Amino acid sequence: MRVWTSEHIFDHPWETVTKAAWRKYPNPMNPAVIGTDVIEREVKDGILHSHRLVSSKWYFPSWARKIIGSANVCYASEWSQVDPANRLMTLKTRNLTFGRFISWDEQMSYNPHPTDPDKTLLRQEAVISVQGVPLTSYIEEMLTSRVSANASKGRLAIEWVISKLDAEVKEIKHEVKEFTSHARKSTDDFIKTAKLSLDNLSAKTEGQHQ
Amino acid sequence: MNSVSEECNELKNSYDKCFNEWFSLKFLKGEKSDKMCAELFEKYQQCVKNAMKNQNISIEDVEQFQLGSEQEKKAPPKK
């Protein structure tokens, strides 16, 4: 059995990080994740409970494939809770595929940083256990290093999503500014044209009266 | 992002868009009702459940201890 743990601090408030967590996939850092589906979801006592099916394409070295077999797509079940009143988001993921030999449990929690409320602390833990096949230690080692590598990519992915969301907001603000300035210019032009027409009309009317 | 089945992609994308809006603008600001996306979710959820059934993906026993049990988790059949 292998236990892997990690802590990471995001320089963003909890609300920003949790919004990004729901928009994490697809991203260029984790191309292995090919599908996420919500199986169940409800708000109970102010807490959002979700159950998702995560589909991934995992490529294992051929020596490992000879032992555990291969799968076109690997499935995992993810249960999560979001408690906005207490600013806590937790996720628990367990593999469905290869379940006969591999038990792979991951937990993640997003909390505000204990001393800086504008930062977010991410704690991750994975417990991997392989049995019933040869070379269990080697397989566990291989899977643990995958978890670690994916965790790093996952954190970069969250940052990537946050930047994208920031860029979207900036783009919208820019478009609104452009539209407002264009609308103002159009209105100014209209007023000028209307004034000219009125002046002309006035001049013509005066001419007629003379 | 794709769904477990291509047929559900469009329903998934519509629902996800609604959910992300609800999550940012309502839920995180104290709104407890999840009615805003309920209709979209129902259609999408139905599609996913059917797709999982067709692909033999079972999640009912996921909370049980799987190792060494008869509830063998196999990869779905190749299409």
Side-chain angles (χ1 to χ4, degrees):
Chain A
M1 186 174 90
R2 295 274 191 279
V3 178
W4 172 89
T5 62
S6 160
E7 280 192 9
H8 176 81
I9 298 168
F10 288 102
D11 198 5
H12 307 281
W14 180 85
E15 287 73 14
T16 303
V17 177
T18 53
K19 277 185 226 172
W22 288 119
R23 295 175 195 233
K24 196 174 168 188
Y25 302 109
N27 71 71
M29 291 86 179
N30 300 114
V33 177
I34 57 167
T36 56
D37 281 295
V38 183
I39 300 166
E40 286 163 61
R41 180 172 266 158
E42 65 169 338
V43 177
K44 247 189 318 198
D45 302 325
I47 296 177
L48 175 70
H49 296 261
S50 309
H51 183 196
R52 294 201 303 176
L53 176 74
V54 183
S55 312
S56 311
K57 274 212 178 261
W58 282 78
Y59 295 104
F60 293 119
S62 56
W63 63 264
R65 287 203 305 271
K66 286 188 178 123
I67 295 167
I68 59 174
S70 54
N72 213 13
V73 182
C74 291
Y75 298 100
S77 169
E78 175 205 89
W79 291 88
S80 64
Q81 295 186 0
V82 185
D83 180 353
N86 294 307
R87 296 176 94 203
L88 173 62
M89 177 170 180
T90 56
L91 303 104
K92 283 186 187 174
T93 310
R94 173 169 255 206
N95 64 305
L96 291 169
T97 310
F98 298 126
R100 195 179 181 192
F101 314 115
I102 300 172
S103 169
W104 175 332
D105 285 276
E106 277 193 60
Q107 280 198 95
M108 288 168 75
S109 69
Y110 292 99
N111 292 68
H113 188 275
T115 54
D116 187 344
D118 289 330
K119 292 191 174 153
T120 303
L121 176 64
L122 164 64
R123 283 197 189 94
Q124 290 176 270
E125 183 185 288
V127 179
I128 293 171
S129 192
V130 177
Q131 60 186 59
V133 290
L135 300 178
T136 53
S137 201
Y138 284 105
I139 298 178
E140 283 175 0
E141 196 54 51
M142 187 236 337
L143 293 174
T144 309
S145 61
R146 284 289 173 99
V147 164
S148 178
N150 285 347
S152 304
K153 292 178 194 169
R155 294 189 291 260
L156 286 172
I158 294 280
E159 294 286 357
W160 178 81
V161 173
I162 291 172
S163 306
K164 226 169 60 131
L165 293 176
D166 276 346
E168 277 173 19
V169 167
K170 281 193 182 112
E171 179 62 34
I172 291 170
K173 281 185 178 162
H174 175 75
E175 278 174 14
V176 166
K177 209 172 153 193
E178 285 256 314
F179 175 77
T180 313
S181 135
H182 181 77
R184 199 172 292 138
K185 188 174 178 298
S186 298
T187 314
D188 285 347
D189 286 348
F190 175 75
I191 290 171
K192 242 185 238 164
T193 314
K195 248 186 123 188
L196 260 171
S197 299
L198 277 171
D199 287 344
N200 283 344
L201 182 66
S202 194
K204 276 189 186 154
T205 320
E206 265 174 45
Q208 279 176 2
H209 281 295
Q210 280 168 6
Chain B
M1 183 83 274
N2 287 334
S3 172
V4 67
S5 163
E6 252 182 68
E7 308 165 352
C8 306
N9 281 350
E10 220 177 289
L11 289 169
K12 174 190 150 64
N13 289 329
S14 302
Y15 167 69
D16 279 351
K17 198 166 163 224
C18 183
F19 171 76
N20 287 325
E21 211 180 286
W22 171 83
F23 187 80
S24 314
L25 302 175
K26 305 246 173 178
F27 183 66
L28 287 182
K29 297 199 191 291
E31 167 80 49
K32 295 192 169 98
S33 162
D34 51 4
K35 291 210 165 69
M36 179 173 145
C37 306
E39 217 179 290
L40 285 169
F41 183 55
E42 213 181 292
K43 294 184 190 153
Y44 163 54
Q45 192 190 32
Q46 199 50 54
C47 187
V48 171
K49 288 197 164 156
N50 287 340
M52 284 173 66
K53 206 168 144 190
N54 293 338
Q55 294 182 42
N56 290 323
I57 304 166
S58 165
I59 45 111
E60 274 95 23
D61 51 351
V62 75
E63 294 306 299
Q64 292 175 24
F65 184 67
Q66 295 170 47
L67 277 180
S69 76
E70 288 313 301
Q71 278 89 12
E72 182 181 337
K73 292 288 174 282
K74 287 186 182 151
K78 283 186 185 170
K79 280 197 170 162

